[in-house]
């Protein structure tokens, strides 16, 4: 058996039209052992495809009944009620509040994390003394590996009391603006606090993407800026930031994906209420992932199906966000 | 060398980096007004504590620097003056939660740690009991088993995916890379939910540790695959060519030449994968859950693990249980950081992060 | 009031001894074959790579003194460089490229634009204002790069192979244009070139760097 592969390396390098030849088809005859080996590796590599397909397949299969029963109102309704035990009230499930809550919390996280990630990556790449850079980068990598449950316990006990104070200050000065208004003066476990905690958690991933693109900014362009009497900031603003713009957007999307899927930390610092809420300082919020974690324990089989459906929604949401993110990041990388 | 040069003029050159009266004056003015403004901000805006001082001082420095540079007009734009301060302050600010988190975990965690903490389990003790009884031995062993089995499943698959992308580089290489990237975005709770809906509902009918391992394996695979890919890419082409030139097949080249040269890199990749999942809580809540003592029954019983122990202790919500949560967090963070450091030492530069 | 450079310049692995002095109002040509370190000298003066040993002073101000482990940053030097590969900023149009240095040194937008138009007129490139570098010919880019440096009215003007990317006709035009411009500027001008004819046509002094002998 022959398998064919195209010898198009020069074509890839120079572009086919430039050298005016179509890539030559090479017929490679491989030994049996190689064929088996390649087949085996390909099979193993496609394992991720199987897993992704199974995830969507199974969650769809389990959640199908829910989509059938509630239709589009699963997305537009905020009511999440299991059937009453005596059968007096039917179950009703809708994830609107949780979907909105996921986005509110994640957008807050991204809005806080991205400026800091820019500062951190510029600092690490261009401002920090050389001797410190390796140490600081290592610390950043270690921070990236702090488990989310520990962020959660820290966020609950340490961050929350501080953040309540900041929330009050914000509310005091900016309360006239609906975003910072609260219906009742309770500031604990708000989307603002959850978003702040998530910002700290996604900072390492956004920073590492930003740092990578910033480090690839063309060195001679930076020199050119210096050569015309520009300060460091001038060079950053003219060369590095524009160069890294799309990479930063990709990193931001990646962080958004992480924030959307975060469970335990959000569960611990956010008050889960089934109500669409845009008052970010109020103690009312939601997140699809923590909905699953919190209801899972005592869910009836029917509610479990609803949770599977919610899981499917979350899965596709993060998949789409991540797809956009990786596409942007890959495109912004200098081809090596 | 054949340079046409005049004599160096005997004038002693001025040294622009020497502090002149003017620079000293500017620094003093900056410092003074920053302090005044910071105090004012602190007093009148309701900022409090050390953090309040920190925030008001940074704001003040930036404002005063901007004003002074505008007034003295030393030729540079305000942005040039303020930008380095903003960037450094941004970094410093980001470090505050890190320091706070590590500091709190260590400070509160050591209180509950005694030798028995590592040798006892929670069979006869409840979370709420005083800190000198009960321990987390079952959770530590549980984490080792669950993560260990996840590693046995995910590491080979991750390395195989990387081998396909780099060594075979077939038609589907980009597709496979895309898949692993997509897989790395799967939220951990979804991985747990998936294993619950497949393995537990259809096969085992009860929560068990093996299901936990499977869920963690899903999360681990992309990390291993991506790091291994980076590692394999570094293998010089010449080494492969040398092997092919001596008549070796691709199998032989891969198994005998390529893999051995990057062994430590692949170990690094695996360790990073382990560190990635060792602290995962959400998928375990849905699968292996928690059990008060150690068990070897992988398929029929729930099993404790450090993250679910922390979570459980936290939910109990009493003073003692909270202290236990901190202590177990300390152990967990020590394990994760230890693994990450080992991975970095083995792998040299941080190859793991993209 | 001169530029004095003596000591060891370095860039990466490369390093060599040099001794150069230059006067304002005239062009000093630095001649030498490829690899003799001509560009490194310019980079050292511009502050893009530090001296290893020796001293660099301009107008009796020390710019680089490794003995005291000090050097002043490029932005404090009032230099302007025309790079061999030009290095126009690809995402900025011609006007913004030219005002870049002025804006960086704190000059207001309106004033900077006015000066940019003057500089463009001086090099005969007024028509190019709103074009992007990618749409310019080699000679046009060269003019823009020159204008970008001239507009700074720098104390030290550094030209690295200024005729590297122009055709024969523009080359001749430049050879006449450059001395005129430099004269008006009264700057210390150093021009790196490998072309003897250019050197003798434009420069009033010449420094010849020998090929680097291998250790």
């Amino acid at each position: 058996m022959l398998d064919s592969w195209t010898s198009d390396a020069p074509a890839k390098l120079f572009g086919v039209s430039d050298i005016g030849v179509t890539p030559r088809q090479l017929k490679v005859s491989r030994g049996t052992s190689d064929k088996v080996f390649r087949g085996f590796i390909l099979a193993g590599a496609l394992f991720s495809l199987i897993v992704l397909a199974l995830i969507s397949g199974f969650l769809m299969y389990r959640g199908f009944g829910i989509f059938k029963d509630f239709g589009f109102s699963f997305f537009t309704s905020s009511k999440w009620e299991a059937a009453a035990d005596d059968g007096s009230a039917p179950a009703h499930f809708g994830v609107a509040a949780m979907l909105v809550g996921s986005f509110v919390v994640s957008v807050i996280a991204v809005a806080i994390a991205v400026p800091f990630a820019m500062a951190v990556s510029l600092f690490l790449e261009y401002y920090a003394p050389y001797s410190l850079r390796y140490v600081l980068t290592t610390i950043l990598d270690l921070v990236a590996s702090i488990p989310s449950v520990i962020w959660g316990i820290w966020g609950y006990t340490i961050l929350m009391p501080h953040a309540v104070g900041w929330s009050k200050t914000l509310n005091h000065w900016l309360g006239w603006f609906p975003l910072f208004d609260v219906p009742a003066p309770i500031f604990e476990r708000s989307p603002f606090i959850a978003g702040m905690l998530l910002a700290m958690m996604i900072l390492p991933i956004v920073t590492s993407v930003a740092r990578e693109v910033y480090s690839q900014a063309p060195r001679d362009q930076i020199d050119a800026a210096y050569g015309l009497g520009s300060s460091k900031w001038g060079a950053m603003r003219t060369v590095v930031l524009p160069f890294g713009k799309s990479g930063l957007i990709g990193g931001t999307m990646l962080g958004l994906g992480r924030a959307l899927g975060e469970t335990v930390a959000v569960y611990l610092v956010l008050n889960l209420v089934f109500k669409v809420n845009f008052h970010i300082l109020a103690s009312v919020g939601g997140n699809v992932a923590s909905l699953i974690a919190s209801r899972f324990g005592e869910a009836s089989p029917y509610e479990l199906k609803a949770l599977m459906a919610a899981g499917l929604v979350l899965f596709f949401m993060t998949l789409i966000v991540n797809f956009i993110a990786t596409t942007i990041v890959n495109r912004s990388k200098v081809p090596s | 060398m054949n340079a046409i040069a005049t004599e160096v003029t005997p004038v002693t050159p001025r040294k622009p980096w020497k502090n002149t009266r003017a620079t000293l004056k500017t620094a003093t003015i900056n410092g003074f007004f920053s302090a005044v403004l910071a105090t004012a901000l602190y007093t009148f805006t309701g900022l409090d504590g050390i953090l309040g001082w920190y925030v008001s001082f940074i704001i003040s420095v930036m404002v005063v620097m901007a004003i002074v540079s505008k007034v003295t007009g030393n030729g540079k734009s305000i942005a040039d003056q303020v930008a380095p301060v903003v960037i450094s302050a941004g970094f410093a600010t980001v470090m505050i939660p890190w320091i706070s988190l590590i500091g709190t975990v260590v400070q509160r965690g050591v209180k509950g740690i005694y030798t028995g903490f590592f040798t006892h389990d929670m069979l006869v003790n409840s979370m709420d009991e005083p800190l000198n009884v009960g321990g987390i031995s079952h959770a530590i062993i549980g984490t080792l088993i669950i993560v260990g089995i996840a590693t046995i499943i995910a590491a080979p698959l991750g390395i195989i995916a990387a081998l396909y992308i780099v060594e075979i580089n077939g038609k589907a290489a980009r597709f496979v890379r895309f898949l692993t990237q997509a897989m790395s975005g799967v939220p951990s709770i979804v991985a747990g939910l998936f294993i619950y809906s497949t393995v537990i509902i259809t096969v085992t009918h009860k929560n068990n540790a093996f299901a936990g391992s499977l869920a963690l394996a899903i999360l681990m695979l992309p990390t291993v695959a991506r790091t291994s890919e980076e590692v394999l890419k570094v293998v010089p082409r010449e080494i492969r060519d040398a092997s092919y030139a001596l008549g070796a097949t691709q199998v032989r080249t891969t198994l005998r030449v390529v893999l051995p040269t990057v062994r430590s890199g692949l170990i690094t990749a695996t360790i990073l994968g382990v560190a990635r999942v060792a602290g995962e809580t959400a998928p375990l809540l849905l699968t292996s859950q928690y059990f008060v003592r150690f068990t070897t029954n992988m398929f029929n019983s729930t099993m404790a693990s450090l993250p679910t122990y922390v979570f459980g202790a936290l939910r109990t919500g009493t003073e003692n249980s909270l202290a236990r949560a901190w202590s177990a967090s300390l152990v967990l963070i020590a394990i994760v950081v230890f693994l990450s450091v080992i991975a970095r030492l083995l792998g040299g530069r941080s190859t793991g992060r993209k | 009031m001169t530029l004095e450079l003596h000591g060891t310049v370095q860039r990466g692995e490369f390093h060599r001894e040099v001794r150069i002095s230059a006067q304002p109002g005239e062009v000093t040509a630095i001649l030498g074959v490829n690899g003799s370190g001509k560009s490194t000298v310019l980079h050292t003066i511009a502050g893009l790579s530090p001296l290893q040993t020796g001293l660099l002073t301009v107008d009796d101000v020390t710019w680089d003194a490794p003995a005291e482990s000090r050097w002043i940053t490029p932005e404090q030097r009032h230099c302007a460089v025309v790079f061999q590969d030009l290095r126009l900023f690809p995402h900025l149009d011609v006007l913004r490229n030219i005002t870049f240095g002025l804006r960086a040194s704190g000059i207001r937008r309106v004033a900077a634009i006015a000066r940019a138009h003057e500089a463009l007129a001086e090099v005969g490139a007024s028509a190019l204002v709103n074009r992007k570098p990618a749409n310019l010919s080699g000679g046009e880019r060269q003019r823009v790069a020159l204008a970008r440096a001239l507009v700074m009215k720098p104390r030290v003007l550094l030209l690295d192979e200024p005729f590297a990317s122009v055709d024969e006709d523009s080359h001749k035009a430049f050879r006449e244009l450059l001395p005129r411009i430099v004269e008006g500027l009264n700057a210390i001008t150093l021009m790196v070139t490998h072309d003897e004819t250019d050197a003798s046509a434009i420069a009033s002094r010449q420094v010849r760097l020998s090929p680097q002998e291998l250790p």
Side-chain angles (χ1 to χ4, degrees), chain B residues 1-7, chain C residues 19-22 28-29 204-208:
Chain B
M1 203 174 82
N2 168 14
I4 304 165
T6 51
E7 283 305 302
Chain C
R19 186 178 194 87
I20 288 169
S21 68
T28 306
S204 39
R205 284 139 62 79
Q206 296 185 3
V207 176
R208 202 169 296 270

Side-chain angles (χ1 to χ4, degrees), chain A residues 51-52 54-55 58-59 261 263 289 292 308 311-312 314-315 318, chain B residues 183-200 211-220 222 276-277 280 282-287:
Chain A
V51 169
L52 290 174
L54 280 178
I55 290 181
F58 257 89
L59 294 182
T263 314
I292 297 169
M308 299 282 176
L312 184 72
L314 175 63
F315 177 62
T318 48
Chain B
M183 211 169 152
S184 74
V186 171
S188 58
I189 187 102
V190 170
L193 205 57
F194 163 63
I195 293 297
Y196 182 84
S197 75
T198 49
V199 177
I200 296 178
S213 296
L214 288 176
L216 292 191
I218 293 177
L219 299 170
M220 191 171 171
R276 158 85 177 77
V277 299
E280 276 299 344
L284 297 185
L285 290 175
L286 272 54
T287 51

Side-chain angles (χ1 to χ4, degrees), chain C residues 2-202:
Chain C
T2 57
L3 176 144
E4 298 285 348
L5 166 67
H6 64 89
T8 315
V9 295
Q10 59 164 349
R11 191 168 178 85
E13 293 291 296
F14 174 87
H15 58 95
R16 71 159 297 145
E17 288 288 322
V18 287
R19 186 178 194 87
I20 288 169
S21 68
Q23 304 287 343
E26 56 181 32
V27 178
T28 306
I30 302 175
L31 286 147
V33 294
N34 283 339
S36 57
K38 301 173 305 233
S39 296
T40 310
V41 169
L42 289 200
H43 281 121
T44 306
I45 296 172
L48 302 176
S49 46
L51 270 174
Q52 205 169 30
T53 62
L55 190 67
L56 167 64
T57 61
V58 174
D59 299 343
D60 299 329
V61 176
T62 309
W63 280 11
D64 197 341
E68 299 179 54
S69 55
R70 289 299 183 102
W71 65 290
I72 64 169
T73 55
E75 78 203 70
Q76 293 169 282
R77 296 190 181 204
H78 212 60
C79 278
V81 189
V82 176
F83 291 91
Q84 184 172 4
D85 50 358
L86 306 183
R87 302 187 186 178
L88 299 175
F89 301 120
H91 57 289
L92 302 179
D93 62 16
V94 167
L95 184 69
R96 295 234 179 83
N97 258 292
I98 294 174
T99 52
F100 171 80
L102 296 174
R103 299 284 292 138
S105 54
I107 290 172
R108 288 185 179 285
R109 225 176 101 75
V110 182
I113 291 175
R115 276 174 65 175
H117 282 293
E118 277 170 35
L120 274 171
E122 209 170 352
V123 299
S126 295
L128 307 174
V129 193
N130 293 319
R131 307 259 292 273
K132 282 275 175 80
N135 308 327
L136 301 177
S137 72
E140 287 169 337
R141 277 183 216 173
Q142 191 77 54
R143 283 171 199 268
V144 173
L146 194 59
R148 187 171 74 162
L150 293 176
V151 77
M152 303 285 297
K153 299 207 165 57
R155 184 67 192 140
V156 180
L157 177 64
L158 303 166
L159 309 166
D160 195 350
E161 300 280 6
F163 310 119
S165 59
V166 296
D167 56 52
E168 202 42 49
D169 287 346
S170 322
H171 191 158
K172 283 209 189 89
F174 270 117
R175 208 182 270 173
E176 283 156 25
L177 178 67
L178 200 57
R180 239 187 319 125
I181 287 169
V182 170
E183 211 171 322
L185 214 55
N186 196 33
I188 300 169
T189 307
L190 286 105
M191 179 179 77
V192 157
T193 177
H194 62 273
D195 187 330
E196 302 276 346
T197 333
D198 283 339
S200 43
I202 297 166

Side-chain angles (χ1 to χ4, degrees), chain B residues 320-338:
Chain B
N320 282 335
S321 78
L322 214 58
R324 282 178 196 279
W326 283 112
S327 299
S329 296
L330 177 59
V331 176
L332 179 57
I333 220 171
I335 291 175
V336 171
V337 167
F338 175 76

Side-chain angles (χ1 to χ4, degrees), chain B residues 86-101:
Chain B
V86 173
I87 287 170
S88 314
F91 186 80
T93 310
V94 159
M95 283 186 69
I96 294 173
W98 303 349
I99 295 166
S100 164
L101 186 141

